Structure formats: structure tokens, C-alpha cells
Amino acid sequence: ALEKKVAKSKVGEKVGLPCCHEIPSSESLLNYRVYWQKNTTEVVLAYSKGEKISEHERYKNRTELDARNLTLWISPVEIPDNGLYQCVVQHLKFSHDSVVPRVVCDEPVTLFVTADFSEPNITAVVTARSCESTEMVVRCSSHGGFPKPKISGVLNNGSLEWNATWVSESSLSPYNVTGKLRLNVTKDVNLTCSIEYNGFVKSTSLLLTNTNECIVPTMPPPYNVITASSIIFIIFLLAITLAARYLPRHVCSHCSKNQDSVEDDVKESMKPHKISKVTSETSSL
């Protein structure tokens, strides 16, 4: 089995796709035909007897061929360059007035193109609150990257699954990705969102806080305090009741005694003086 050749590049960089044949120092490109094809259907670049005979319009002014090791150089790399390429090399043997080609190389090489995604952006919208928890909808989004990414998350060191959606004009266009999930937060937690693509990872973290606004009820007084307060209140009511009954009688009784004493004095003063009468009678004798 042939070893699969792989080349990797980011958008805007220069990449070389290795061929399966190298021209010996005793020969030159004049003795060969070289075809670089993509997906075995479209010719990217072709040389015959040292001369360029074909170049795809989309690769025009972006490709070069190494005359010795037949590497295909592409610069700057674009997202549509991603895919499978084929290097086909024919050795030309000249015999009298004819040329006899012989295939010496026909192997594939895969180019993986990467476009960086933006830093993930995390937003959280609170949908409900209670004394124990805060319900929220969390979104993580990133855009402008390639290839189609994987979105993953970590919540306080535990993995979580996003409800993800991807948007792209085609399979060879930049992707936008958005992950969504609903959380019931009972305490402050740290959420991390990661975008993974072609071995690259971009991550962003956000602290999610439990923003409940409960009023903690005051604790009732102990039973002993309630009992003592009740006893004091009952005694106070009894004291008021007894005072209301006792004081009016006491005052009225005192007033009656004083009135009787006054009346006695008046009566006494209106009685005739018996002593004076006796004295008069005694004198006449």
C-alpha cells in the first residue's frame, strides 16, 4: 500500500505539494511530462518537454513547479485549494521521429487547508430566577473558519454537549458555528467553550453567577422566650384588671366616710346647749 502523503497550510500561506518522482541530475525537465491534477478531473498545472502547456484559471499566477523534485507550490493558499491532488509523471523516450511516454509516477497527495476561526464569544441570558437557582440560555459562537469545526464545552471540569448549528455557503467556504444550551445554575460556575478544527483549538471562558435575590426570613424567637413573654403579658393584664376593680371601691369608701363626718358635725352644731339651761335654773334657786 502506498503511504498517503499529506500537506497542511493556512489560508494566505505558501505550501508545497510533494511529487512522487525526482528528476536525476543527469536529466532535465525536457525529458518529462508532468501533470498536477485535482480530484483527477481538473488540471492545475502541466508541463511537457520543459514548457508549460496548461494552467487552471483559478490557479493562475498562484502556482510554480520545481524543476528537479516536481513539487507543486501554491501561494497564497485559498480555502477552495483544499482537497485531493494527483502527481502524474511520464518519462519521454525519443526514438527517431517519435516520442514514447512511460509513466514513472502516479500518486495522490492531500492538502488540508485551514482558516482560523474567531475567538469564541459566549453570551448568557437569564430566563428565570428562584431562591435556589438561576435559569439561563447560553450561546457560544465563532465565525470565518475552515474546515467545519467541532464545538465542545466544559462546565466546572465536566464536559457538556452543545446544540450546535453550522452555516456555510458550500463545503469549500468559511463556516460560522453557534452552540446553544440551557443551564440551571445553583452556584457560580466556570464555563469554557472550545472550537476545534484541523488540530487547532480556540477557547473562551465565562463565569456564570447564580444571581438570585431572595430575602432570607428572620428566625422565630426560641420557645423559652415566647413562653416567658406570654407569662409576663398575662400578669400585666391581670394587674390592670385588678387595679380597675380595686381602686374605684377604695376611693368611694373613703369619700363616704368623709361625707358622714361632715354631716355629724353639722348636726352637732344645731343641737341646743343643755349646759347653759341647767346653769340658769340653778341661779334662780
Side-chain angles (χ1 to χ4, degrees), residues 27-58:
E27 294 183 309
S28 70
L29 196 57
L30 295 172
N31 304 105
Y32 290 86
R33 286 179 187 162
V34 181
Y35 297 91
W36 270 103
Q37 302 173 158
K38 187 181 181 192
N39 299 325
T40 68
T41 56
E42 56 185 55
V43 177
V44 176
L45 186 64
Y47 274 77
S48 179
K49 300 178 183 180
E51 298 291 332
K52 183 191 297 185
I53 59 174
S54 179
E55 183 178 27
H56 195 281
E57 184 66 25
R58 202 178 63 75

Side-chain angles (χ1 to χ4, degrees), residues 11-279:
V11 169
E13 296 180 347
K14 184 176 182 178
V15 66
L17 305 183
C19 188
C20 47
H21 184 77
E22 183 172 346
I23 297 176
S25 57
S26 59
E27 294 183 309
S28 70
L29 196 57
L30 295 172
N31 304 105
Y32 290 86
R33 286 179 187 162
V34 181
Y35 297 91
W36 270 103
Q37 302 173 158
K38 187 181 181 192
N39 299 325
T40 68
T41 56
E42 56 185 55
V43 177
V44 176
L45 186 64
Y47 274 77
S48 179
K49 300 178 183 180
E51 298 291 332
K52 183 191 297 185
I53 59 174
S54 179
E55 183 178 27
H56 195 281
E57 184 66 25
R58 202 178 63 75
Y59 290 88
K60 193 171 184 178
N61 299 323
R62 294 197 303 121
T63 57
E64 296 177 18
L65 182 70
D66 188 291
R68 185 58 58 184
N69 59 23
L70 307 181
T71 295
L72 175 66
W73 290 97
I74 304 174
S75 177
V77 171
E78 300 174 355
I79 289 178
D81 298 337
N82 186 83
L84 180 67
Y85 291 77
Q86 197 86 10
C87 181
V88 181
V89 181
Q90 297 177 346
H91 185 257
L92 303 179
K93 185 175 182 181
F94 298 93
S95 177
H96 302 292
D97 294 332
S98 63
V99 178
V100 180
R102 180 175 63 91
V103 176
V104 295
C105 171
D106 183 357
E107 288 185 11
V109 55
T110 303
L111 173 61
F112 290 104
V113 177
T114 300
D116 283 331
F117 280 85
S118 64
E119 293 293 333
N121 180 45
I122 305 176
T123 59
V125 177
V126 175
T127 56
R129 287 190 179 97
S130 68
C131 289
E132 294 79 18
S133 63
T134 300
E135 294 182 10
M136 58 182 68
V137 175
V138 182
R139 286 182 173 84
C140 176
S141 60
S142 182
H143 62 273
F146 186 86
K148 183 178 179 180
K150 176 184 177 183
I151 181 170
S152 61
V154 175
L155 187 67
N156 272 7
N157 299 321
S159 61
L160 53 83
E161 291 291 332
W162 294 90
N163 182 13
T165 56
W166 295 265
V167 177
S168 179
E169 293 181 359
S170 70
S171 61
L172 292 176
S173 298
Y175 282 87
N176 298 337
V177 60
T178 300
K180 177 182 175 182
L181 54 85
R182 292 183 178 272
L183 292 177
N184 191 16
V185 178
T186 58
K187 61 181 180 179
D188 293 355
V189 292
N190 192 61
L191 173 68
T192 299
C193 176
S194 299
I195 307 296
E196 304 174 31
Y197 54 104
N198 261 6
F200 297 93
V201 179
K202 285 196 173 182
S203 301
T204 298
S205 297
L206 179 67
L207 180 65
L208 303 178
T209 58
N210 181 20
T211 56
N212 63 71
E213 298 177 354
C214 281
I215 300 176
V216 180
T218 56
M219 295 295 294
Y223 176 77
N224 293 338
V225 174
I226 296 175
T227 303
S229 300
S230 301
I231 293 173
I232 293 173
F233 181 70
I234 293 172
I235 293 174
F236 177 72
L237 289 178
L238 289 174
I240 292 177
T241 303
L242 292 174
R245 292 183 178 181
Y246 171 75
L247 288 178
R249 291 183 178 181
H250 179 73
V251 172
C252 291
S253 176
H254 179 71
C255 292
S256 177
K257 288 181 180 181
N258 290 341
Q259 187 175 0
D260 292 344
S261 177
V262 172
E263 291 177 353
D264 291 344
D265 291 342
V266 172
K267 290 179 179 180
E268 186 67 26
S269 63
M270 293 180 65
K271 287 180 180 182
H273 298 283
K274 293 181 179 183
I275 298 175
S276 299
K277 185 178 181 181
V278 173
T279 304

